[in-house]
Amino acid sequence: MDVLVSGGAGFVGSHLCAQLLNMGHRVHCVDNLVTGAERNIAPLRATNGFTFHLHDVVEPLDLPVDAIFHLASPASPVGYWEHPFETIRVNSEGTMRLLELAQRKNAMFLMASTSEAYGDPDVHPQVEEYHGNVNPVGPRACYDESKRLGETITAEFHRQYGTDARIVRIFNTYGPNSQLNDGRMIPNFITQALANAPISIHGTGAQTRSICYVDDLVDGLLRAMFTTGTAGEVYNLGNPEEHTVLEWAHLIMRLCESTSAIVFEEKRADDPERRRPNIEKAERALGWHPRVSPEAGLRRTIEWFRAELEQAASCLSLTSN
Ligand SMILES: NC(=O)c1ccc[n+]([C@@H]2O[C@H](COP(=O)([O-])OP(=O)(O)OC[C@H]3O[C@@H](n4cnc5c(N)ncnc54)[C@H](O)[C@@H]3O)[C@@H](O)[C@H]2O)c1
């Protein structure tokens, strides 16, 4: 198949491109590099069937496609606070452009939405039927609300034109190829722990998070796209193992053998108190379940961060010499 991955040079997209190539598909990676990096796809460049298109998906695009994974969007608070209008546009106009392409080419479509669509949830764990508790004018709204609009557009294409489209709500995912400094919990904690620098926790640390290793997420995305009967459906994808932020910090410090201290900073506005997916629907319909334990996934991620930070440090010392 010809498969388009928008946001393919990002963290999740680069893993998805690699897996699609392993499966024998031709991959069109489309990215404007606003938060992604060419180095994420450098190992794929030489692979047969891989093409990179430097392109903003808000603009029309014409490619031969059988399936479109729409992952393009800044995803971390740092990313969307730096690019609020780009975030709004890619999740609304960009979703529209890619759905138009899917409709023209009779291609399958998957929209990568987010657990942030549930806002600060008052239903726990979050099920797909829950409609969320989102502040439409808060600092996270450029992301949360534009993802919700992207979902609406996707649902409407399916309803009006019968487009073979589905939505996945992705919960906190981590792994190699993350941005080192994107302000998300796992990259932050690992970078700080490896440097034995203070680990900064926003709020009391009693808020909960559940984290999914990227290989598990990619497996879920592929199943959501290619399993029969998924068009028009919404699936949560994430790992339901839930811990407090403080517990995640302690686990990462132990795995990094770190001597960091923990410092508490002001709680971020609209930061959710509890986050855990209910994944029964994905388990039932897709036969999907996350397989990588947090400890195993974190060990692999820490090794990748260690190598990246060492490389960055040696580049820095070369430039200063
Ligand atoms: N990683 C997570 O924990 C997580 C959680 C929930 C949802 N998601 C969703 O998954 C998707 C991928 O997230 P990620 O963590 O890999 O983020 P990322 O920032 O690493 O990747 C996003 C990619 O999209 C590209 N992009 C942004 N706007 C674009 C545009 N207009 N045209 C073309 N390319 C554009 C960026 O350059 C980047 O390469 C996003 O849609 C995100 O909202 C991720």
Side-chain angles (χ1 to χ4, degrees):
M1 280 192 184
D2 281 288
V3 184
L4 189 162
V5 180
S6 81
F11 157 50
V12 176
S14 57
H15 290 272
L16 177 62
C17 288
Q19 189 53 25
L20 285 163
L21 288 168
N22 283 341
M23 293 164 75
H25 297 297
R26 284 178 295 279
V27 174
H28 302 274
C29 167
V30 180
D31 203 299
N32 67 354
L33 300 179
V34 64
T35 54
E38 280 195 278
R39 76 191 167 94
N40 287 341
I41 48 165
L44 310 180
R45 291 271 199 175
T47 313
N48 249 347
F50 180 80
T51 326
F52 176 62
H53 308 262
L54 182 62
H55 178 84
D56 185 330
V57 296
V58 167
E59 304 301 329
L61 176 70
D62 192 25
L63 284 172
V65 283
D66 302 302
I68 299 174
F69 287 88
H70 178 30
L71 271 60
S73 167
S76 70
V78 168
Y80 56 75
W81 286 334
E82 208 172 308
H83 305 286
F85 294 107
E86 290 86 344
T87 304
I88 292 167
R89 292 192 69 189
V90 72
N91 287 317
S92 52
E93 292 173 55
T95 304
M96 193 98 177
R97 290 297 85 75
L98 290 173
L99 277 159
E100 286 161 357
L101 178 63
Q103 194 202 350
R104 278 202 309 279
K105 305 284 175 178
N106 204 16
M108 292 183 272
F109 182 90
L110 178 146
M111 188 212 164
S113 185
T114 168
S115 57
E116 299 273 335
Y118 298 119
D120 188 3
D122 35 32
V123 166
H124 193 78
Q126 291 79 59
V127 283
E128 288 86 349
E129 292 74 28
Y130 174 52
H131 296 165
N133 175 32
V134 178
N135 174 1
V137 293
R140 292 167 179 263
C142 63
Y143 183 63
D144 304 4
E145 292 288 26
S146 66
K147 284 287 187 187
R148 287 167 67 95
L149 179 56
E151 290 196 15
T152 308
I153 298 168
T154 306
E156 214 51 54
F157 263 75
H158 176 68
R159 208 173 285 130
Q160 300 297 329
Y161 309 120
T163 310
D164 187 348
R166 69 279 294 131
I167 295 161
V168 293
R169 297 195 183 125
I170 300 172
F171 285 66
N172 200 336
T173 300
Y174 69 99
N177 294 2
S178 326
Q179 284 172 59
L180 300 179
N181 55 352
D182 76 355
R184 285 189 260 194
M185 177 181 77
I186 299 297
N188 258 15
F189 287 177
I190 296 180
T191 312
Q192 292 165 337
L194 286 175
N196 292 316
I199 304 244
S200 47
I201 290 183
H202 295 272
T204 62
Q207 66 273 37
T208 66
R209 294 293 180 269
S210 53
I211 60 169
C212 183
Y213 190 64
V214 65
D215 288 359
D216 282 330
L217 174 67
V218 165
D219 179 35
L221 294 174
L222 292 166
R223 286 171 191 254
M225 179 72 101
F226 296 122
T227 304
T228 315
T230 54
E233 297 293 334
V234 180
Y235 300 100
N236 285 338
L237 292 180
N239 189 323
E241 187 174 328
E242 180 186 14
H243 293 283
T244 67
V245 165
L246 198 55
E247 286 166 344
W248 288 122
H250 280 297
L251 174 60
I252 288 171
M253 282 168 59
R254 174 168 67 76
L255 297 177
C256 292
E257 297 176 1
S258 172
T259 56
S260 293
I262 289 182
V263 295
F264 294 92
E265 297 181 354
E266 208 177 318
K267 181 181 185 275
R268 282 179 169 160
D270 296 333
D271 200 24
E273 280 303 316
R274 302 193 72 184
R275 227 352 118 57
R276 173 155 69 100
N278 177 316
I279 56 166
E280 283 168 22
K281 185 175 174 186
E283 289 180 314
R284 207 174 44 246
L286 311 176
W288 176 80
H289 190 84
R291 299 190 187 288
V292 182
S293 72
E295 181 152 342
L298 283 170
R299 281 189 193 281
R300 288 183 215 168
T301 309
I302 288 165
E303 279 328 298
W304 181 84
F305 269 76
R306 202 189 294 279
E308 283 292 299
L309 291 167
E310 275 167 14
Q311 201 188 343
S314 71
C315 287
L316 205 64
S317 83
L318 275 179
T319 9
S320 59
N321 282 339

